[in-house]
Amino acid sequence: MMIRSIITILCVLAAVLLSSVHAKYSSGEVKGTDFHFVDKFCFDNAGRGTAVFDFHNNIQNETVYLLILDDEVGNWTYVYEHYKEMSCEQRAERSAYARPLDQDLTQTEYFNDFVRPHFWYFALQACSGNPLDVSYTMHMTQFSNSTWKREFSYDEQGLEGLFLFWWLLFIVGAAAHGYAAFVLSKSQAYHTIVKLLTVIVGLEWFYIFFSFCHYAAYSDNGHGNIGLKNFADFLDTIAQVLIILLLVLVAKGYCISKSDIEGKKLLFGGMIVLSISYLILYIWTKAGQDPANDLFEYETVPGIITVILRALVTGWFVWELRNTYLEENHAGKREFYLAFGIVYSIWLLMLPLITIIAAALDPWVRMKVVIGMYVTMNAIGLGIFAFVFWPSRISNYFQVNSRLDIAGTIPYDSI
């Protein structure tokens, strides 16, 4: 009970700091267009899902329709791509549900999917030539009474548990690294490269914690806190850039074979380009990506550019590591560089691999599979670094000024 209370208090504090709501309990106004996507929800096939909606047409004698379409071929995707060339009647013919809003419409609609989960799309259209002026509230829920499932679209079910699991593991990992940082600091071995890892671990801890808070609130009220989730994703974006910086520094032999950073202009120029790419992708995902389509963020133009840059960064990492490896004469250090290069080349290529996997997955399972792989990948990458930077081990790999440094009593050859 005490742990749950602490988690609740922390989540409430985080929500207060960054309050904003958005979810499958949605509301708003639609003005200035004759066709408008309102929201979507993926109902599972475990029972009868429910959508409770309240629409108010603010213009009397205006012919407005609520359209509900599923994700089968020729339905929503076709209508959304061609709605400008289609008449109101043609759009309605492709809809599973088309209901006029003379002025008000308050109704509960039920969804029974027995074959597979389906996305259902809700849209409004005006058919008399005047733009829409409609206010609405909608609340979609699954058949299940479980708080882990009821409020969640099927593609998001399981994310709350995923982030809770990794947050609890990150508490242990962050505490262990915090202890290591304390010991290194006391022994004057808290090098800049270790401090960089500390910053990354902190950013990822808050990313996972804030994401969990969002989904925990979502499971309770159907709103969540999208402002908090957006901030969490921003922290993760910063962490990704810093992880790549850390990898390139090691690949250059910094603090292993060399005490200075070589090629600083190229290094920081490359990091600026990468940072801009990640920032553009972040802004596009949060503000520019159309919620009415099912594209994964790395399938968009900014996403594709980011994946290409990630592949180029992998090549850069391998090239720097190769040069450092060839310049190094110490057999043990060469073995370390070889092992490090294999492990983190695979890590860097995981993002392009995840993107390929995402493109092959069905939309109703894509999000949870991709996020699960992504968080796991980051945790493993940071865990390996934390292992290498442990106080009793760091002097075996890195040249740090330390009272713990026993001048390599365990040689590289034994690594």
Side-chain angles (χ1 to χ4, degrees), residues 352-371:
L353 177 61
I354 289 174
T355 303
I356 294 171
I357 293 173
L361 292 173
D362 292 317
W364 53 90
V365 298
R366 179 183 298 149
M367 180 184 292
K368 48 193 171 186
V369 172
V370 167
I371 291 179

Side-chain angles (χ1 to χ4, degrees), residues 242-305:
L242 293 181
I243 291 172
I244 292 173
L245 173 61
L246 181 58
L247 290 175
V248 175
L249 287 175
V250 175
K252 283 177 168 290
Y254 177 57
C255 198
I256 301 174
S257 302
K258 305 166 187 175
S259 58
D260 294 323
I261 302 173
E262 296 183 353
K264 291 182 181 180
K265 290 184 179 180
L266 175 62
L267 172 63
F268 291 108
M271 296 313 300
I272 288 172
V273 171
L274 189 67
S275 299
I276 292 173
S277 171
Y278 269 96
L279 182 61
I280 291 174
L281 176 63
Y282 173 81
I283 294 172
W284 174 270
T285 303
K286 303 306 176 185
Q289 189 171 3
D290 189 351
N293 64 46
D294 296 320
L295 286 177
F296 178 49
E297 62 184 88
Y298 287 104
E299 293 178 303
T300 63
V301 173
I304 292 171
I305 293 173

Side-chain angles (χ1 to χ4, degrees), residues 201-237:
V201 170
L203 290 171
E204 284 296 288
W205 188 92
F206 280 108
Y207 158 66
I208 293 174
F209 172 61
F210 288 156
S211 296
F212 167 67
C213 286
H214 163 69
Y215 287 112
Y218 194 117
S219 68
D220 181 61
N221 59 22
H223 288 85
N225 193 303
I226 197 63
L228 190 63
K229 184 64 174 73
N230 288 344
F231 182 62
D233 292 340
F234 181 69
L235 295 180
D236 178 63
T237 298

Side-chain angles (χ1 to χ4, degrees), residues 146-409:
S146 169
T147 56
W148 299 89
K149 294 182 178 181
R150 180 170 174 78
E151 295 287 347
F152 291 100
S153 179
Y154 181 78
D155 59 312
E156 295 180 299
Q157 287 180 6
L159 291 180
E160 180 187 8
L162 171 74
F163 280 109
L164 174 59
F165 171 78
W166 277 115
W167 180 59
L168 293 174
L169 285 185
F170 258 79
I171 289 177
V172 177
H177 179 69
Y179 168 77
F182 173 77
V183 172
L184 291 172
S185 178
K186 295 291 285 185
S187 61
Q188 300 177 3
Y190 194 36
H191 193 276
T192 302
I193 204 164
V194 186
K195 293 177 182 177
L196 182 56
L197 177 64
T198 303
V199 172
I200 296 168
V201 170
L203 290 171
E204 284 296 288
W205 188 92
F206 280 108
Y207 158 66
I208 293 174
F209 172 61
F210 288 156
S211 296
F212 167 67
C213 286
H214 163 69
Y215 287 112
Y218 194 117
S219 68
D220 181 61
N221 59 22
H223 288 85
N225 193 303
I226 197 63
L228 190 63
K229 184 64 174 73
N230 288 344
F231 182 62
D233 292 340
F234 181 69
L235 295 180
D236 178 63
T237 298
I238 299 174
Q240 292 301 304
V241 175
L242 293 181
I243 291 172
I244 292 173
L245 173 61
L246 181 58
L247 290 175
V248 175
L249 287 175
V250 175
K252 283 177 168 290
Y254 177 57
C255 198
I256 301 174
S257 302
K258 305 166 187 175
S259 58
D260 294 323
I261 302 173
E262 296 183 353
K264 291 182 181 180
K265 290 184 179 180
L266 175 62
L267 172 63
F268 291 108
M271 296 313 300
I272 288 172
V273 171
L274 189 67
S275 299
I276 292 173
S277 171
Y278 269 96
L279 182 61
I280 291 174
L281 176 63
Y282 173 81
I283 294 172
W284 174 270
T285 303
K286 303 306 176 185
Q289 189 171 3
D290 189 351
N293 64 46
D294 296 320
L295 286 177
F296 178 49
E297 62 184 88
Y298 287 104
E299 293 178 303
T300 63
V301 173
I304 292 171
I305 293 173
T306 302
V307 171
I308 292 173
L309 283 175
R310 182 72 169 244
L312 292 175
V313 164
T314 305
W316 180 24
F317 168 77
V318 172
W319 175 258
E320 293 285 2
L321 199 63
R322 173 187 175 275
N323 292 337
T324 304
Y325 178 85
L326 293 176
E327 293 172 3
E328 181 57 61
N329 295 318
H330 194 291
K333 291 183 180 182
R334 288 167 66 94
E335 289 181 10
F336 171 76
Y337 286 132
L338 182 61
F340 184 86
I342 292 172
V343 170
Y344 282 100
S345 293
I346 295 172
W347 186 88
L348 284 167
L349 290 172
M350 281 301 296
L351 181 60
L353 177 61
I354 289 174
T355 303
I356 294 171
I357 293 173
L361 292 173
D362 292 317
W364 53 90
V365 298
R366 179 183 298 149
M367 180 184 292
K368 48 193 171 186
V369 172
V370 167
I371 291 179
M373 294 177 64
Y374 178 79
V375 176
T376 302
M377 172 193 79
N378 290 335
I380 293 173
L382 293 178
I384 295 172
F385 262 118
F387 175 83
V388 172
F389 286 166
W390 192 253
S392 63
R393 194 175 294 110
I394 187 170
S395 60
N396 302 327
Y397 305 88
F398 294 85
Q399 297 175 0
V400 291
N401 296 323
S402 172
R403 294 199 298 267
L404 289 177
D405 192 345
I406 51 179
T409 54

Side-chain angles (χ1 to χ4, degrees), residues 41-62:
F41 192 81
C42 187
F43 290 99
D44 61 30
N45 56 343
R48 188 174 66 170
T50 305
V52 179
F53 40 77
D54 184 2
F55 287 89
H56 179 71
N57 184 6
N58 298 316
I59 302 178
Q60 294 185 354
N61 302 320
E62 177 70 23

